[in-house]
Coordinates of all heavy atoms in Angstrom, one line a residue:
E93 N 35.3 262.5 63.3 CA 36.0 261.3 63.5 C 36.6 260.9 62.2 O 36.4 261.5 61.1 CB 35.0 260.1 63.9 CG 33.7 260.1 63.2 CD 33.7 259.6 61.7 OE1 34.6 258.8 61.5 OE2 32.9 260.0 60.9
L94 N 37.5 259.9 62.2 CA 38.1 259.3 61.1 C 38.2 257.8 61.3 O 38.6 257.4 62.4 CB 39.5 259.9 60.8 CG 40.2 259.5 59.5 CD1 39.4 260.1 58.3 CD2 41.6 260.0 59.5
V95 N 37.7 257.0 60.4 CA 37.7 255.5 60.6 C 38.5 254.8 59.5 O 38.5 255.2 58.3 CB 36.2 255.0 60.6 CG1 35.5 255.3 59.3 CG2 36.2 253.6 60.9
I96 N 39.2 253.8 59.9 CA 40.1 253.1 59.0 C 39.5 251.7 58.7 O 39.1 251.0 59.7 CB 41.5 252.9 59.5 CG1 42.1 254.3 60.0 CG2 42.4 252.2 58.5 CD1 42.2 255.3 58.9
N97 N 39.4 251.3 57.5 CA 38.9 249.9 57.1 C 40.1 249.0 57.3 O 40.9 248.6 56.5 CB 38.5 249.9 55.6 CG 38.2 248.5 55.1 OD1 37.8 247.6 55.9 ND2 38.4 248.3 53.8
S98 N 40.1 248.5 58.6 CA 41.2 247.5 59.0 C 40.6 246.6 60.0 O 39.5 246.8 60.5 CB 42.4 248.3 59.5 OG 42.1 249.1 60.6
N99 N 41.4 245.6 60.3 CA 41.0 244.6 61.3 C 42.2 244.5 62.3 O 43.2 243.9 62.0 CB 40.7 243.2 60.7 CG 40.2 242.2 61.7 OD1 39.9 242.6 62.9 ND2 40.1 241.0 61.3
P100 N 42.0 245.1 63.6 CA 40.8 245.8 64.1 C 40.5 247.1 63.4 O 41.4 247.7 62.8 CB 41.2 246.0 65.5 CG 42.7 246.1 65.5 CD 43.2 245.1 64.5
C101 N 39.3 247.5 63.4 CA 38.8 248.7 62.8 C 39.3 249.9 63.8 O 38.9 249.9 64.9 CB 37.3 248.7 62.7 SG 36.6 250.2 61.9
I102 N 40.0 250.8 63.2 CA 40.5 252.0 64.0 C 39.7 253.2 63.8 O 39.4 253.6 62.7 CB 42.0 252.3 63.6 CG1 42.9 251.0 63.7 CG2 42.5 253.4 64.4 CD1 44.3 251.3 63.2
T103 N 39.2 253.7 64.9 CA 38.4 255.0 64.9 C 39.1 256.0 65.7 O 39.5 255.8 66.8 CB 37.0 254.7 65.5 OG1 36.3 253.7 64.8 CG2 36.2 256.0 65.5
Y104 N 39.4 257.2 65.0 CA 40.0 258.3 65.7 C 38.9 259.3 66.1 O 38.1 259.7 65.3 CB 41.0 259.0 64.7 CG 42.1 258.2 64.3 CD1 42.3 257.8 63.0 CD2 43.1 257.9 65.3 CE1 43.4 257.0 62.7 CE2 44.2 257.1 64.9 CZ 44.4 256.7 63.6 OH 45.5 255.9 63.3
L105 N 38.8 259.7 67.4 CA 37.9 260.7 67.9 C 38.7 261.9 68.2 O 39.8 261.9 68.7 CB 37.2 260.2 69.2 CG 36.6 258.8 69.2 CD1 36.0 258.5 70.5 CD2 35.5 258.7 68.1
M106 N 38.0 263.1 67.9 CA 38.6 264.4 68.2 C 38.5 264.6 69.7 O 37.4 264.5 70.3 CB 37.9 265.5 67.4 CG 38.2 265.5 66.0 SD 39.5 266.8 65.6 CE 38.5 268.2 65.8
E107 N 39.6 265.0 70.3 CA 39.6 265.3 71.8 C 38.7 266.5 72.1 O 38.3 266.7 73.2 CB 41.0 265.4 72.3 CG 41.7 266.6 71.8 CD 43.1 266.8 72.4 OE1 43.5 265.8 73.2 OE2 43.8 267.7 72.1
E108 N 38.5 267.4 71.1 CA 37.7 268.6 71.3 C 36.2 268.3 71.4 O 35.4 269.1 71.8 CB 37.9 269.6 70.2 CG 39.3 270.3 70.3 CD 40.4 269.5 69.6 OE1 40.1 268.3 69.2 OE2 41.4 270.1 69.3
N109 N 35.8 267.0 71.0 CA 34.4 266.7 71.0 C 33.8 266.6 72.4 O 34.5 266.3 73.3 CB 34.1 265.3 70.3 CG 34.5 265.3 68.9 OD1 34.6 266.3 68.2 ND2 34.6 264.1 68.3
T110 N 32.5 267.0 72.5 CA 31.8 266.8 73.8 C 31.5 265.3 74.0 O 31.7 264.5 73.1 CB 30.5 267.5 73.9 OG1 29.6 267.0 72.9 CG2 30.7 269.0 73.6
M111 N 31.1 264.9 75.2 CA 30.8 263.5 75.5 C 29.7 263.0 74.6 O 29.7 261.9 74.1 CB 30.5 263.3 77.0 CG 30.3 261.9 77.4 SD 31.7 260.8 77.0 CE 30.8 259.4 76.3
A112 N 28.6 263.8 74.5 CA 27.5 263.4 73.6 C 27.9 263.2 72.2 O 27.5 262.2 71.6 CB 26.4 264.4 73.7
L113 N 28.8 264.0 71.7 CA 29.3 263.9 70.3 C 30.2 262.6 70.2 O 30.2 261.9 69.2 CB 30.0 265.1 69.9 CG 30.5 265.2 68.4 CD1 29.3 264.9 67.5 CD2 31.1 266.6 68.1
Q114 N 31.0 262.4 71.3 CA 31.8 261.2 71.2 C 31.0 259.9 71.1 O 31.3 259.0 70.4 CB 32.7 261.1 72.5 CG 33.7 262.2 72.7 CD 34.8 262.3 71.7 OE1 34.7 262.0 70.6 NE2 36.0 262.6 72.2
A115 N 29.9 259.9 71.9 CA 29.0 258.7 71.8 C 28.4 258.6 70.4 O 28.3 257.5 69.8 CB 27.8 258.9 72.8
L116 N 28.0 259.7 69.8 CA 27.4 259.7 68.4 C 28.4 259.1 67.4 O 28.1 258.3 66.6 CB 27.0 261.1 68.1 CG 26.3 261.2 66.7 CD1 25.3 262.4 66.7 CD2 27.3 261.6 65.6
V117 N 29.7 259.6 67.5 CA 30.6 259.2 66.5 C 31.1 257.7 66.7 O 31.5 257.0 65.8 CB 31.8 260.1 66.4 CG1 31.4 261.5 66.0 CG2 32.6 260.2 67.7
I118 N 31.0 257.3 68.0 CA 31.3 255.8 68.2 C 30.3 255.0 67.5 O 30.6 254.0 66.8 CB 31.4 255.6 69.7 CG1 32.7 256.1 70.3 CG2 31.3 254.1 70.0 CD1 32.7 256.0 71.8
A119 N 29.0 255.4 67.7 CA 27.9 254.6 67.0 C 28.1 254.7 65.5 O 27.9 253.8 64.8 CB 26.6 255.2 67.5
H120 N 28.4 255.9 65.0 CA 28.5 256.2 63.6 C 29.7 255.4 63.0 O 29.5 254.7 62.0 CB 28.7 257.7 63.4 CG 28.9 258.1 61.9 ND1 27.8 258.6 61.2 CD2 29.9 258.1 61.1 CE1 28.2 258.9 60.0 NE2 29.5 258.6 59.9
A121 N 30.9 255.5 63.5 CA 32.1 255.0 62.9 C 32.4 253.6 63.4 O 32.6 252.6 62.6 CB 33.3 255.9 63.2
S122 N 32.4 253.4 64.7 CA 32.9 252.1 65.2 C 31.9 250.9 65.0 O 32.3 249.8 65.1 CB 33.2 252.2 66.7 OG 34.2 253.2 67.0

Side-chain angles (χ1 to χ4, degrees):
E93 44 73 30
L94 189 66
V95 60
I96 309 299
N97 171 28
S98 58
N99 184 10
C101 182
I102 302 175
T103 302
Y104 295 112
L105 307 181
M106 284 263 286
E107 66 180 3
E108 289 88 345
N109 294 344
T110 64
M111 183 57 223
L113 187 52
Q114 299 290 38
L116 182 148
V117 298
I118 287 173
H120 180 95
S122 299

